Amino acid sequence: MSDERILLGIALTVVLAVGSQILASRLRVPSLIVLLPVGFTAGALTDVIHPDQLAPDFGPLVSLAVAVILYDAGLGLDLRHLRGETRRVVARLIVLGVFLTWGACLGLVTALFDVPLTVAVMIGVILVVSGPTVVGPLLDHVRPTDRVRRILIWEGTLIDPLGGILGAVVFHIIVRSRESQGFRFGTFTGSMAVGLAGGAAGVALLWLTLRKLRLGGTLGTLTQLAAVVAVSAGCDAVFDDTGLIAAIVMGMALANLPGFDMPARRPFFETVVELIIGLLFVSISATVTPESVVPVLLPSLALVAVLVLVVRPLVAVCAAARTDVGAGERTFIGWMAPRGIVAAATASTFSATLVDEGLRDAGKILPVTFLVIVGTVLVYALTARPVAARLGVVRPARTRPLLVGGEPWAVDLARALRAAGLDVLMWAGLAEERERIREAGIELAAGELLATATNPETRLEGVTAVLLLTDDDDFNALASVVVQDRVEGPVYRVGPPPDGHGVVAPYTGGSVLFGAGLVRTALATRHERGARFLVQPASVPRPPGHETLFVVRADGRLAPVTDGQEVARAEGDTLVLLGPVPHGSAGDSLGAHRPG
């Protein structure tokens, strides 16, 4: 292929990958639904998008790219959330999922596709994986309860490298058996040892560079990227796909090391991961030709049906047996097992070599895997949300706000929001503020909650809105930027005084509560002088001198007034108002009531 055609192929691949992700975001669907058909169509209509021609060493590049994705996923696995029943269910899903799925595929593939046993074994081990690149976006779309999300994310992230290792072992068994070479029983154990040792070395390397050299920001991000690539490449040089184990170990270890603060994940790193996902799916699906898909289309649909309707529900029922996971939760877990990037990558890498080795029907491995990926993603993407709603495992629409700060006026505001029917959570750093929150009867968040919120790889579970109300305006401004991507909902901050001396607050954007007239100092002063919060139905006329701060919708959604903009109200809504300073009075107690 000429240099001009190579450049054209690379440019077209990048454009299609990015364009597909933009289209998917506009359609509010997982990007995989768009990337796979776009790559397949581009491969069928053009002859410039072909990974083997664009990059002769495409297989190793895929392995390194997947390692970066799994490292990024590992950074989001907090071991504090893997306890008790959750840990038991995740372990069972992985173990039972591997054996039951592999066994079912072995029989089904042999019968449906009339292929040799070795090919059926290879397809079966490829299809045991799931993956965070498809599970995560689907769960973001569905918004299930925290425990269900946690179980599925842990399962998908951990089973990917395990499936990659199993695929590599099976691949080597097939190749060596065809070459009449012996295969040692300890190969699997040895490959796991290589991956774990590489992960430990990578953790030590990053600990030294990030902690001792105090690299943060851009240099810290580049260091992580370089370390993952270097360690994964070294492990893969010893044994195929052990770099995936090393990558996930590095991510998990760094996310859970006590006293080790990861530098904030830069937009560059997020961009690299998203671009890698897009490029891989477009490139791999472009290698699947219509001629290879047509003969296996109907059997593949039958395989998808059995995997979705029989195998996965059976795995979920067995995994959740004798646990406190409810019937709705286990049913939804049994309805969520899409295949993703690791399945596509291993199929693309191993099938080409097996075809070159002359293994009969090895050419069916990639098209069958491709159709199973497309089929499972489409089924779950189209049905997961209504199924979750029917089973009652969708997070309720009612807002659960986290109020950060323990000033007296902030605690009284929390009491008013609770009187309006919201489940309110508070966090404060000072002991006296935390005691004030407890005395008010407000639920106090765990001491590490804010550190979790500002950790670039974790989420605030159960929180759907954050109100930053501390007496440090710069903290509120900076936290509003960092926390925004860690919570499923909006983040607001109280406004700084116009004559304040904050370094950051006066120049930071974001949603500022209540407008210029009700900045932090004005709220604190008015509350100290006796002004109190009032909760009343929207249908009742607003008392003189009262200002609207929040509208709580009939379904429990919280709509704050921001930047002086009034929020439209409707029948059934509830208002949270701030009253005037009483004349000649130090103030009454909180005037919050819930009309009947």
Side-chain angles (χ1 to χ4, degrees):
M1 180 180 284
S2 65
D3 291 344
E4 293 78 7
R5 293 179 64 80
I6 291 176
L7 290 175
L8 177 60
I10 293 174
L12 185 57
T13 303
V14 172
V15 169
L16 290 177
V18 175
S20 298
Q21 290 173 318
I22 293 174
L23 178 60
S25 68
R26 291 294 181 266
L27 297 176
R28 296 185 178 181
V29 297
S31 59
L32 191 57
I33 292 180
V34 181
L35 287 167
L36 287 175
V38 165
F40 177 75
T41 304
L45 297 180
T46 71
D47 59 354
V48 294
I49 299 182
H50 198 288
D52 293 334
Q53 296 179 358
L54 296 178
D57 297 325
F58 182 66
L61 291 177
V62 170
S63 181
L64 294 178
V66 174
V68 173
I69 294 172
L70 290 182
Y71 169 78
D72 183 62
L75 288 174
L77 297 181
D78 191 339
L79 290 174
R80 291 172 298 180
H81 295 154
L82 190 67
R83 296 176 178 174
E85 302 286 15
T86 299
R87 179 172 55 193
R88 186 183 307 174
V89 173
V90 170
R92 289 177 179 176
L93 282 173
I94 293 173
V95 175
L96 294 175
V98 168
F99 285 104
L100 291 179
T101 304
W102 197 355
C105 287
L106 183 61
L108 288 168
V109 171
T110 303
L112 291 173
F113 300 94
D114 189 26
V115 296
L117 181 63
T118 50
V119 173
V121 170
M122 194 74 245
I123 293 177
V125 75
I126 288 172
L127 295 181
V128 302
V129 299
S130 178
T133 57
V134 283
V135 173
L138 284 175
L139 295 181
D140 290 340
H141 178 67
V142 176
R143 298 183 69 249
T145 55
D146 288 332
R147 180 161 69 169
V148 170
R149 178 187 175 87
R150 196 180 306 136
I151 288 172
L152 290 170
I153 288 293
W154 271 93
E155 178 205 7
T157 304
L158 293 179
I159 204 171
D160 263 6
L162 178 60
I165 287 293
L166 290 173
V169 171
V170 170
F171 170 77
H172 281 279
I173 291 176
I174 294 173
V175 171
R176 293 196 177 203
S177 64
R178 291 181 61 81
E179 296 174 354
S180 300
Q181 296 182 15
F183 192 82
R184 293 188 300 272
F185 178 77
T187 299
F188 177 76
T189 305
S191 63
M192 291 292 293
V194 170
L196 293 174
V203 170
L205 176 63
L206 286 176
W207 188 86
L208 288 172
T209 54
L210 297 179
R211 188 181 180 96
K212 294 300 182 181
L213 299 181
R214 299 187 180 276
L215 297 179
T218 301
L219 287 179
T221 300
L222 293 175
T223 300
Q224 294 176 69
L225 185 61
V228 173
V229 171
V231 171
S232 299
C235 291
D236 285 343
V238 177
F239 193 91
D240 290 341
D241 281 352
T242 52
L244 303 185
I245 291 288
I248 198 72
V249 168
M250 289 171 65
M252 286 181 59
L254 291 174
N256 292 278
L257 278 178
F260 181 78
D261 295 326
M262 286 290 295
R265 191 175 78 162
R266 304 286 293 179
F268 167 74
F269 200 84
E270 294 185 18
T271 302
V272 167
V273 171
E274 290 301 318
L275 182 60
I276 286 174
I277 292 172
L279 293 177
L280 286 181
F281 276 122
V282 169
S283 301
I284 292 172
S285 56
T287 63
V288 182
T289 64
E291 294 78 11
S292 66
V293 167
V294 172
V296 298
L297 179 58
L298 292 179
S300 296
L301 294 179
L303 177 60
V304 169
V306 175
L307 290 175
V308 170
L309 298 176
V310 180
V311 177
R312 178 60 181 187
L314 178 62
V315 171
V317 168
C318 294
R322 299 180 184 178
T323 68
D324 62 357
V325 176
E329 292 175 313
R330 72 180 64 185
T331 302
F332 183 75
I333 291 171
W335 196 253
M336 185 58 59
R339 274 58 178 180
I341 188 62
V342 172
T346 52
S348 174
T349 302
F350 297 144
S351 65
T353 303
L354 293 177
V355 169
D356 293 339
E357 289 284 331
L359 180 62
R360 182 171 68 87
D361 290 329
K364 293 181 179 180
I365 295 175
L366 182 56
V368 170
T369 303
F370 174 81
L371 290 171
V372 171
I373 293 173
V374 173
T376 55
V377 170
L378 282 176
V379 168
Y380 295 128
L382 296 175
T383 63
R385 192 163 189 170
V387 168
R390 183 69 179 268
L391 296 173
V393 296
V394 178
R395 191 190 305 278
R398 181 175 297 275
T399 301
R400 192 191 189 204
L402 167 67
L403 278 63
V404 180
E407 293 291 306
W409 71 270
V411 176
D412 272 359
L413 177 59
R415 293 172 61 194
L417 291 173
R418 186 179 62 179
L422 299 182
D423 181 14
V424 180
L425 186 68
M426 291 197 76
W427 185 93
L430 299 178
E432 61 183 271
E433 293 179 335
R434 298 173 70 83
E435 184 60 31
R436 184 181 297 129
I437 293 170
R438 292 191 187 94
E439 291 176 354
I442 304 296
E443 182 180 352
L444 183 64
E448 70 274 7
L449 183 73
L450 195 62
T452 299
T454 54
N455 184 324
E457 298 299 335
T458 56
R459 300 168 59 255
L460 273 174
E461 294 188 342
V463 173
T464 56
V466 176
L467 309 180
L468 296 158
L469 311 175
T470 75
D471 60 357
D472 188 331
D473 298 314
D474 281 340
F475 173 86
N476 294 335
L478 291 171
S480 68
V481 176
V482 176
V483 174
Q484 183 63 64
D485 293 334
R486 320 304 163 202
V487 62
E488 289 186 5
V491 177
Y492 305 95
R493 63 185 174 98
V494 67
D499 57 346
H501 299 288
V503 177
V504 177
Y507 312 104
T508 304
S511 298
V512 178
L513 291 168
F514 315 138
L518 288 176
V519 296
R520 174 184 56 80
T521 50
L523 287 164
T525 301
R526 285 177 60 170
H527 184 270
E528 185 178 355
R529 294 173 58 189
R532 290 297 179 262
F533 301 103
L534 174 68
V535 178
Q536 69 172 40
S539 57
V540 176
R542 187 172 59 184
H546 285 66
E547 298 174 80
T548 302
L549 302 183
F550 298 94
V551 176
V552 181
R553 303 299 185 190
D555 61 0
R557 290 179 294 115
L558 182 65
V561 174
T562 60
D563 298 326
Q565 300 292 325
E566 285 286 343
V567 180
R569 63 200 72 177
E571 186 68 26
D573 291 348
T574 301
L575 304 182
V576 178
L577 311 172
L578 176 63
V581 176
H583 296 289
S585 171
D588 303 321
S589 60
L590 175 70
H593 65 275
R594 185 76 174 168

